[in-house]
Structures are given as structure tokens and as C-alpha cells.
Amino acid sequence: MWTAARLQRWLATSDFGGPIVVLANREPVRHDRAADGSIVVKQSGGGLVTALQPLIEACSGVWVAHGAGTADKAVVDWRDGVDLPPANPVYRLRRVWLDDDEQRGYYFGFSNEALWPWCHRAHVQPVFRSDDFDTYRAVNARFADAVCEEVDSNAPLVLVQDYHFALAPRMLRQRRPFSTVMSFWHIPWPRPRDCEACPWARDLLRGLLGSDILGFQTPSDCHHFVDAVESLLNARVNGARTVITHAGRRTVVRAYPISIEWPSRWARRSPAIRACRETVCRELELDAQTRLAVGVDRLDYTKGITEKFLAIEKLLELHPEFVGRFVFVQIAEPSRNTLAAYRALRARLVETAARINRRFGNGSYRPIVLLERHHEPADVYRFLRAADLCYVGSLHDGMNLVAKEFVAARDDDRGVLVLSQFTGAARELTDALLVNPYAIKDAARVLARALRMTEEEQTMRMRAMRALVSEFNAYKWIGEMLTDAARVRARLPSAALDACFDQLTPSIAG
Ligand code: G6P
């Protein structure tokens, strides 16, 4: 079983010198200036932060990220860093400042208008602007420099995270040839045909091949990546399709399904299930007998939130006995809201919820409650613990950690997870009720089945999922990558290295 303590022991006895450096665009916490002038600390949303924050704490490492908070500059030391958590510092957050043009080109432009829709099949067309790509390249170089400023050894261990930094692994390799670079791509990798649509696909592939270890969420993401390097770069690939040789270097490509901290600190610190339910019902002015479903997503078009609302509408149409007795609470964290696709989605969502509420609402009863604001994790867990079911309806999702957090939240072994078959999590959480989120009527039937599931069946399914997530936790995720990185670092001859990596996934959940 991988735990924080085992991870610490592993690192202490390994020959990786110096602290681990995580390079990720999103900072785990931001400092914002409140209206009264005081500084408030906010936990960032998204799966990446959920998984990595406990790990950086356990490793006492350094996290290099964009300083995006309005008071971020006010709290850093002379080296643009801050020690966290404030009450009991165990790791360092190094902030990199970006001006408006850099944010527009690198973050909003190339990362979120080009790469995000390029990788997700959610019917939003990627926009490839060469100016954005130039800025993306320049910003990747700035972050690579910041990482180098943070390391004191010639051979540091750097964890490069996600699609914001496809070029950084190669840049790091050029700056520190002896470093160990482990990169993880949190979102899906496009199918070969779609991959070719990006005018700079070869640059991205070459950039990522600066890594020693390159991790994806699922075996099919690995297949797509390896097919792309073979066809676009003419790289050499071993028989198991796990080791790529390109420009005289080897990169191991494998699936490491990401996970969450176990036991979850948020579940441990939560009030009892009954208290969570009471406060949620009181806040939303719901009858204590209400059947409660929740969804927790960033307000993103990949998350299938509109389709979830349509499924709720169909449920109430097909099963009028739930009208007045069933409420779906959708927590929607505002995200990337200067982009047109996100603004259009928001307008559609608000309008769809209002229409369904007009159709089935009565007096104070509204079947859909849309909570469009940031919720701190403690609050999210309160909703997850209060609910009869959690609906994750992504149209395409690398993993989706909300699904795993719902499981972590339910220490009462109750509650039903309704999970889109198009998430990475669906490969592991086979005891969820799987749905095709596009098939509105089928999804409505599954929701009705979830609401009618016996307590015995709920317990059986939840226990199986809890056993799985507890073993395949975030410490195991990083532990397996580190174990592989140590093998690569041992500089074995090709045949011996191939023998180590004869499977796409180091250990298989489910
Ligand atoms: C996804 C991405 C992360 C990102 C998160 C939140 O989970 O894979 O890299 O941090 O969304 O999005 P944001 O744009 O706010 O960082």
C-alpha cells in the first residue's frame, strides 16, 4: 500500500538529490485581496491540484506556477516564493509572473483555445494562432528557467504537469542534461488523425520527448501518442510500445491513472453525514425527505453539464413521481470565462436550467439548483456527503477526480455514482452506474435506477469502489512513476530496459 510515509521513505533512500520540483501552471493556493483590503487564501480547483497538493506536501518539494492571485505579489519573499501551508510550512510555492499578453497567448490562447479542444472530443473546434504558439514557446522557456533557479543539483528531479508545458521537458533537458524529467499529461491525447491538425504537433512531440518518463491517464492515450511519434517523427518504438527512442534519447511512455489522497483529509475533517445533509437542506431550503443528486464541475464544455440538465428533465418527464421530491444541485466553478466558448456555455446552461425549472417548478420548488461560484473543498465534501447520488457526465475527460472524491467522501458506504463512460475513471470504477451522457433518455433511466437502488446494493458497490481507490491512490500514482524513473536513471542496456517496461500500465486497477 502506498502512503505518504512510504513515499517519504522511498525518496529518502533513493539517489534523487535535492527537492522534487513540480512545474504546473495552476498554483495550489492563491492569495486574493478582499474588498476590505485584507488578504484571503483560496484553494484552487481542478483535478491536477487535488492530486498533487498532498504529494508536494509529503515530499517537501517546490511547486513552480503562475502567480495569478490579486495579492500573490504581496506575500512572496525576495525570490518570488512563499512557504506553505502558512500555519505549518512544508513546501515552497515559487510564483512566475505573466503579463496580459503572455496570459492571452500562452494560457487563454494556445493552452485553452488550441490544445484543450484539440485533445478533448467535445465538438469545439481548436483555434491555432501562430502568435499564440510563439508566446506559448516563450512562456515555457521562462518557466523552465524558473525551475532551474529553484534547483541546487546538476541532476534534479522535475515533474512537468499537463498541456501548458509540452515544450518544457526538452528545454529542461537542454538546460540541465542530467536531470530526471517525469511528465504527466492529465487530459486525453488526440487520435492520430486529429493530432495532425495541430500545425506544431511535431514541436509538441519533440518537446515531450525531452522527458524520461511520460505518463498518460489510459492505455489508449499512450497508443495515440506512440502512433503519433512513429508517424510524425519517425521515432523507434520497442515491441511493447512503451519505450521510444528519438534523437539518441529514450522516453518511457506508460499509463499511470491519477488518483486522490487516501484517506482524504477533507473526508476526515467533515461533519457526520447526517449533519452534512441537514446543513445542505437548510441552506437550499429543501425538505429533509428530498432525494438529492449533485454534480461538481468546472464550468467547462467538456463536462456535459447541459446534457445532465436534459437528463434531469427527461427523468421528471418519464417519472413524474419524482417531481417535487427530487433536486439536482450543480456546483459549477467559474473557469476560463474570458473565452467565447465558455461564455456561450454559461448562457446555455443558465437558460436550460431556467426553462426546466419553469416547466417542473412549483412554488419554492426548483428541480435544478445551479451554484455558480467557487466552493472550497470542505464545502464540496459537504455536498458529496449529503447527496443520494453524484452525477459525473463528462463528454470526454482524462480521468475525472470528482468521481474518486465522491467515493472518498462516502465513509458511510452509501450513495450511488452515475459516471460517464467517456471518463478515464470509468475504466477503474466499474461499480459505478455507467452512462453515455449523450443518450439523454438512457441517462434518465439510469438516474431513476440510481434513485431506486436498495441500500444493500449501494453498500456493495460503494465498498468495492472504496477498496479500489484506497489502494490505487495518489501516492501509488507518483510511487509507480518514481520507481520507473529510477529504472531509467540506472541507464540499463536496451534489452534490460525493455524487459522492465513490457506492459503499458505498471499495475492494473479493477
Ligand atoms: C484540468 C487541467 C488542469 C487545470 C484544471 C483547472 O484539470 O488538466 O491542468 O489546472 O483543469 O483549469 P485551470 O485552467 O483553471 O487551471
Side-chain angles (χ1 to χ4, degrees):
M1 184 89 171
W2 278 93
T3 59
R6 177 166 169 200
L7 182 61
Q8 282 157 350
R9 277 199 306 276
W10 194 96
L11 282 167
T13 52
S14 77
D15 65 349
F16 292 118
I20 288 191
V21 183
V22 167
L23 171 58
N25 173 70
R26 184 57 62 199
E27 49 186 346
V29 293
R30 55 185 275 165
H31 292 85
D32 279 332
R33 182 79 62 190
D36 65 0
S38 63
I39 292 176
V40 285
V41 185
K42 273 198 206 140
Q43 177 72 35
S44 298
L48 183 151
V49 167
T50 306
L52 277 152
Q53 198 172 10
L55 301 177
I56 199 83
E57 287 174 11
C59 304
S60 297
V62 182
W63 185 310
V64 179
H66 169 214
T70 53
D72 274 358
K73 277 194 177 150
V75 297
V76 291
D77 60 24
W78 63 277
R79 288 168 57 230
D80 290 334
V82 52
D83 294 331
L84 292 169
N88 174 26
V90 283
Y91 74 96
R92 174 175 159 82
L93 169 61
R94 160 70 192 271
R95 286 173 166 151
V96 175
W97 316 113
L98 299 178
D99 65 27
D100 288 350
D101 286 343
E102 286 173 322
Q103 284 189 59
R104 207 173 305 120
Y106 145 80
Y107 174 75
F108 288 109
F110 198 69
S111 296
N112 287 313
E113 281 189 296
L115 293 182
W116 181 265
W118 181 60
C119 291
H120 289 95
R121 290 192 294 277
H123 319 290
V124 170
Q125 194 171 318
V127 185
F128 296 112
R129 299 182 198 94
S130 55
D131 285 356
D132 288 352
F133 183 65
D134 291 343
T135 310
Y136 180 86
R137 191 199 305 271
V139 170
N140 267 241
R142 285 197 51 205
F143 275 94
D145 289 339
V147 168
C148 292
E149 284 163 20
E150 291 297 322
V151 300
D152 39 21
S153 105
N154 201 16
L157 173 58
V158 187
L159 273 57
V160 178
Q161 301 299 310
D162 228 356
Y163 60 100
H164 310 90
F165 295 118
L167 304 179
R170 186 158 187 247
M171 293 171 168
L172 287 165
R173 172 83 42 221
Q174 285 160 349
R175 287 160 174 73
R176 291 282 190 284
F178 300 110
S179 54
T180 298
V181 181
M182 294 184 359
S183 300
F184 191 76
W185 195 263
H186 290 249
I187 64 176
W189 185 266
R191 291 187 285 208
R193 262 289 163 81
D194 303 324
C195 189
E196 286 174 30
C198 175
W200 303 284
R202 285 185 180 79
D203 302 72
L204 301 176
L205 296 171
R206 278 192 211 104
L208 286 166
L209 290 180
S211 320
D212 297 289
I213 302 285
L214 175 56
F216 290 95
Q217 302 280 22
T218 67
S220 75
D221 296 320
C222 297
H223 288 309
H224 294 157
F225 180 84
V226 174
D227 288 352
V229 289
E230 217 172 22
S231 70
L232 295 179
L233 296 186
N234 227 341
R236 217 174 64 231
V237 177
N238 71 337
R241 303 189 74 67
T242 49
V243 184
I244 295 172
T245 309
H246 178 67
R249 287 206 70 258
R250 292 183 303 191
T251 300
V252 171
V253 175
R254 281 182 126 184
Y256 306 90
I258 200 167
S259 194
I260 55 169
E261 173 189 36
W262 192 283
S264 149
R265 68 187 70 182
W266 305 110
R268 234 180 22 228
R269 292 178 196 161
S270 286
I273 296 274
R274 182 192 291 266
C276 292
R277 204 177 153 85
E278 275 167 16
T279 57
V280 166
C281 287
R282 196 175 328 122
E283 261 169 47
L284 302 178
E285 298 177 11
L286 304 177
D287 186 274
Q289 302 309 314
T290 307
R291 307 304 309 279
L292 189 66
V294 296
V296 182
D297 301 283
R298 274 184 313 104
L299 216 159
D300 193 294
Y301 53 79
T302 59
K303 303 292 181 186
I305 308 175
T306 318
E307 288 74 9
K308 288 201 272 188
F309 288 178
L310 298 178
I312 303 299
E313 179 178 32
K314 193 53 90 186
L315 169 80
L316 298 177
E317 193 181 297
L318 296 176
H319 301 277
E321 67 276 19
F322 288 123
V323 176
R325 299 197 175 90
F326 167 85
V327 168
F328 179 58
V329 180
Q330 174 66 51
I331 293 181
E333 160 123 17
S335 182
R336 309 172 193 168
N337 44 17
T338 63
L339 297 181
Y342 288 75
R343 285 208 304 271
L345 167 74
R346 182 185 173 260
R348 202 162 58 241
L349 270 183
V350 169
E351 188 210 292
T352 309
R355 183 181 60 71
I356 297 169
N357 282 341
R358 272 195 307 276
R359 183 168 171 204
F360 292 102
N362 187 3
S364 66
Y365 171 66
R366 291 171 302 153
I368 295 181
V369 177
L370 177 59
L371 299 179
E372 252 189 282
R373 58 188 152 79
H374 171 74
H375 287 70
E376 288 289 306
D379 222 15
V380 169
Y381 268 70
R382 201 162 54 86
F383 278 91
L384 294 176
R385 285 163 72 80
D388 295 297
L389 78 87
C390 174
Y391 187 5
V392 174
S394 305
L395 305 179
H396 197 192
D397 213 327
M399 173 55 62
N400 195 291
L401 288 183
V402 172
K404 293 186 178 179
E405 286 188 280
F406 179 60
V407 170
R410 299 316 295 254
D411 45 21
D412 61 340
D413 293 341
R414 293 281 159 74
V416 185
L417 176 62
V418 177
L419 178 61
S420 160
Q421 67 191 71
F422 304 123
T423 58
R427 292 187 70 254
E428 293 173 86
L429 299 176
T430 49
D431 281 286
L433 297 185
L434 297 186
V435 285
N436 171 354
Y438 291 101
I440 303 297
K441 199 167 174 184
D442 292 349
R445 287 205 191 97
V446 172
L447 289 169
R449 163 149 159 54
L451 289 168
R452 297 200 170 114
M453 190 182 283
T454 61
E455 292 194 341
E456 291 70 35
E457 186 177 350
Q458 290 182 35
T459 302
M460 203 186 69
R461 288 174 179 272
M462 189 51 85
R463 279 198 185 143
M465 292 193 284
R466 286 177 64 79
L468 187 126
V469 181
S470 68
E471 182 185 346
F472 290 84
N473 60 33
Y475 301 107
K476 187 176 176 78
W477 171 71
I478 199 79
E480 294 199 325
M481 260 195 280
L482 286 168
T483 309
D484 283 353
R487 288 179 178 140
V488 170
R489 204 155 144 130
R491 309 216 172 275
L492 303 171
S494 291
L497 192 78
D498 278 1
C500 293
F501 301 111
D502 59 357
Q503 279 184 2
L504 256 183
T505 316
S507 61
I508 294 152

